[in-house]
Amino acid sequence: GESVGLHLPTLSVQEGDNSIINCAYSNSASDYFIWYKQESGKGPQFIIDIRSNMDKRQGQRVTVLLNKTVKHLSLQIAATQPGDSAVYFCAELFGNEKLTFGTGTRLTIIP
Amino acid sequence: EAGVAQSPRYKIIEKRQSVAFWCNPISGHATLYWYQQILGQGPKLLIQFQNNGVVDDSQLPKDRFSAERLKGVDSTLKIQPAKLEDSAVYLCASSPPGIKDTQYFGPGTRLTVL
């Protein structure tokens, strides 16, 4: 319900440490997954994606892990910086269906 | 490359009033999406256009919401009449031809209904 949605899961991490943000997706048939970053007052920004035929993909300072057995997705951010503070959403896509977003996790970087 | 443009950025109206939002997608992007994002939640798709045709409007409350993309470029989303529960950020996104997975989002319009 809406009251649950108002209480975003939060994660506070010391600057320079690594962050791990988790996401449980709903459709076992989803074949494409995306992580988005949303800063205050802005639209979601693409970070990294992964297809269901992979279990790991790396970008610059970010790694996405996919565990299809338990329908779990994670985003790892290495050496977090103050600019990493944002809400992070995972999104899943199955075939030609609509992109479905998760609830989001608010990441706060402690200086 | 210019991003997705949206206006206005903020709008405050009273319930039962009407409101319209405008979106100009990235040049050349055939697919345009309107999302509703309620505070603390992920975006929810309202309507998807492919050029000037509607692909998916299954989650659009058609009794009060309407959208158009007459020339296959920019788009407007209208709410008439607005309800308190319509308070949200309305996001527009676009994607290049044949690459629907990659959506580029605009900054959104924050609507407050009093």
Side-chain angles (χ1 to χ4, degrees):
Chain A
E2 191 170 309
S3 60
V4 172
L6 286 172
H7 302 285
L8 272 176
T10 58
L11 176 66
S12 296
V13 175
Q14 204 76 34
E15 182 178 351
D17 286 353
N18 298 334
S19 303
I20 300 177
I21 300 171
N22 297 303
C23 173
Y25 62 91
S26 58
N27 187 352
S28 57
S30 290
D31 51 13
Y32 180 63
F33 305 88
I34 309 171
W35 279 101
Y36 283 93
K37 172 186 180 184
Q38 187 172 25
E39 297 175 274
S40 181
K42 297 183 180 180
Q45 178 187 8
F46 173 92
I47 301 174
I48 191 168
D49 59 358
I50 188 168
R51 301 220 172 257
S52 59
N53 61 352
M54 304 171 68
D55 53 20
K56 180 178 180 179
R57 188 158 189 233
Q58 286 185 293
Q60 187 177 14
R61 283 202 308 119
V62 293
T63 300
V64 55
L65 299 177
L66 175 62
N67 185 331
K68 294 182 287 293
T69 303
V70 294
K71 295 192 290 185
H72 183 268
L73 200 63
S74 70
L75 176 71
Q76 300 178 2
I77 305 173
T80 51
Q81 304 167 358
D84 294 330
S85 291
V87 177
Y88 290 81
F89 292 97
C90 67
E92 59 183 300
L93 186 67
F94 166 59
N96 287 320
E97 298 293 315
K98 63 179 78 65
L99 198 62
T100 302
F101 284 80
T103 303
T105 297
R106 182 180 302 281
L107 176 64
T108 301
I109 307 303
I110 305 166
Chain B
E1 178 182 76
V4 176
Q6 290 189 247
S7 68
R9 291 297 313 277
Y10 305 92
K11 190 73 177 179
I12 300 174
I13 62 172
E14 295 187 348
K15 60 183 180 184
R16 291 188 289 273
Q17 285 186 323
S18 302
V19 65
F21 313 125
W22 176 81
C23 171
N24 193 19
I26 294 173
S27 178
H29 282 197
T31 309
L32 185 147
Y33 313 80
W34 281 103
Y35 287 85
Q36 181 193 58
Q37 186 176 24
I38 292 172
L39 182 65
Q41 298 181 18
K44 182 186 82 170
L45 181 69
L46 292 174
I47 189 167
Q48 176 184 340
F49 291 95
Q50 180 73 22
N51 296 309
N52 60 350
V54 175
V55 173
D56 183 350
D57 64 356
S58 58
Q59 297 191 106
L60 186 74
K62 299 180 188 63
D63 57 334
R64 297 183 301 106
F65 286 63
S66 65
E68 60 184 14
R69 193 185 184 199
L70 293 175
K71 296 182 180 179
V73 181
D74 57 351
S75 175
T76 56
L77 176 70
K78 297 179 182 178
I79 308 175
Q80 179 180 12
K83 293 185 176 181
L84 296 176
E85 59 261 36
D86 298 331
S87 293
V89 174
Y90 291 85
L91 294 161
C92 180
S94 68
S95 58
I99 312 178
K100 72 175 180 66
D101 302 343
T102 304
Q103 297 183 23
Y104 298 84
F105 284 83
T109 297
R110 180 177 295 279
L111 174 67
T112 302
V113 182
L114 303 176

